[in-house]
Amino acid sequence: MERDIRIQKFLSECGFTSRRKAEEMILEGRVQRNGRPVQLGDKLDPGRDVLTVDGERVRYDRRKKHTTLLLNKPRGVLTTLEDDRGRRTVAELVADLPARVYPVGRLDKNSEGLLILTDDGALANRIMHPRSHLGKTYRVTVRPGITEEQVIALSTGIELDGRMTLPATVRVLTQEPGRAVIEMVLREGRNRQIRRMCEALGLEIARLRRTAIGPIRLGMLRPGEWREMTPAELSALRGALAKAGGGEEA
């Protein structure tokens, strides 16, 4: 590991938490280097400095074998490890696991489907890196149906927050009176993106389920179930990230 490394990156690569959550912890004053609170952007030398979170020392172990899981997140469960309002989180679904894994990216509370959890910070950062453009596949049920013009609009881009969404792959799977099921492949991950894109076109989402992240598919996992990612899947995922251009954040 490099000598002068940003503290949020260090916490992520140690598998302690995600980089985003590490930044929150730093802002909350929970992270100390050599007994003093740190600021965002501060660095440390892992070989010399002592880093603690809530008084617990964080160490980097080169020999550690990482754990990466696939979870079928049910509706109504939050994609976070803790919630101050006592709502159900994905952490409860993997509570018996000895490894400390955290979710890579998010699914809305009312969305469901494939979620990756890992303690491999480098892999998580590559998946979430803005340059990765790793395709994520969703099966979306919309009401009252969908027109060809709406399919074209979803495919070419919708303006959200003053900028257009990237082109998406959209195809209609079924169409019947009052509802349609479509498949969407996105290559970016804005907040509530599919819901907001559909709302902009007057479409109501009845169900939203993620079925794949790059080459990794949900398969036969039932809601609430998880399994470890296989070596072949990890290899395929890393290959897809390399092809898509995913890199490391500084």
Side-chain angles (χ1 to χ4, degrees):
M1 179 175 283
E2 59 198 275
R3 289 188 58 184
D4 294 316
I5 181 173
R6 291 185 187 274
I7 289 173
Q8 58 264 39
K9 183 179 180 182
F10 175 79
L11 288 170
S12 173
E13 293 194 357
C14 286
F16 187 85
T17 189
S18 68
R19 190 174 300 192
R20 179 183 300 174
K21 185 63 177 178
E23 291 173 350
E24 294 176 4
M25 290 176 169
I26 291 171
L27 292 172
E28 292 166 357
R30 298 167 58 187
V31 184
Q32 294 189 333
R33 180 189 56 201
N34 302 327
R36 296 188 176 185
V38 301
Q39 305 294 322
L40 274 182
D42 284 356
K43 297 182 179 182
L44 85 159
D45 180 344
R48 299 179 58 186
D49 296 321
V50 175
L51 192 75
T52 60
V53 177
D54 298 331
E56 175 187 350
R57 184 169 182 178
V58 182
R59 302 175 185 268
Y60 179 71
D61 184 357
R62 295 178 181 273
R63 300 166 299 175
K64 179 179 179 180
K65 180 180 180 297
H66 291 297
T67 299
T68 302
L69 309 179
L70 305 181
L71 169 72
N72 186 348
K73 186 192 90 68
R75 279 188 282 188
V77 176
L78 298 179
T79 307
T80 185
L81 298 182
E82 55 188 28
D83 179 63
D84 56 10
R85 294 166 56 184
R87 293 173 294 181
R88 195 179 182 203
T89 71
V90 294
E92 299 175 32
L93 301 176
V94 295
D96 295 334
L97 193 72
R100 183 173 185 159
V101 296
Y102 52 87
V104 180
R106 292 181 179 272
L107 277 175
D108 294 338
K109 178 183 177 183
N110 292 322
S111 299
E112 58 190 298
L114 182 59
L115 187 67
I116 294 176
L117 297 96
T118 188
D119 60 1
D120 186 342
L123 178 64
N125 292 332
R126 290 187 67 197
I127 294 172
M128 294 188 291
H129 197 283
R131 289 199 303 268
S132 74
H133 299 314
L134 188 66
K136 298 179 178 66
T137 306
Y138 300 82
R139 185 182 177 96
V140 190
T141 303
V142 296
R143 297 176 179 143
I146 193 166
T147 66
E148 183 178 351
E149 290 76 14
Q150 288 170 324
V151 170
I152 293 173
L154 290 171
S155 302
T156 55
I158 302 289
E159 184 174 330
L160 299 177
D161 302 323
R163 61 189 179 96
M164 300 296 289
T165 58
L166 291 178
T169 302
V170 182
R171 65 189 183 105
V172 179
L173 301 179
T174 62
Q175 176 94 272
E176 58 189 66
R179 68 191 290 273
V181 178
I182 62 175
E183 181 182 82
M184 294 184 64
V185 182
L186 299 187
R187 290 173 177 81
E188 60 181 333
R190 302 198 209 175
N191 185 42
R192 300 182 66 251
Q193 182 171 339
I194 292 179
R195 293 186 185 277
R196 294 169 65 202
M197 290 174 71
C198 289
E199 287 168 5
L201 297 176
L203 295 171
E204 175 192 352
I205 291 184
R207 188 178 184 187
L208 196 162
R209 180 163 60 103
R210 184 157 65 196
T211 59
I213 298 174
I216 309 304
R217 306 198 66 82
L218 180 62
M220 300 303 291
L221 277 178
R222 297 178 181 177
E225 288 185 344
W226 60 267
R227 67 171 176 83
E228 288 201 47
M229 193 179 293
T230 67
E233 287 172 326
L234 279 168
S235 178
L237 179 58
R238 291 193 173 99
L241 285 167
K243 185 176 180 179
E248 295 281 355
E249 292 183 355

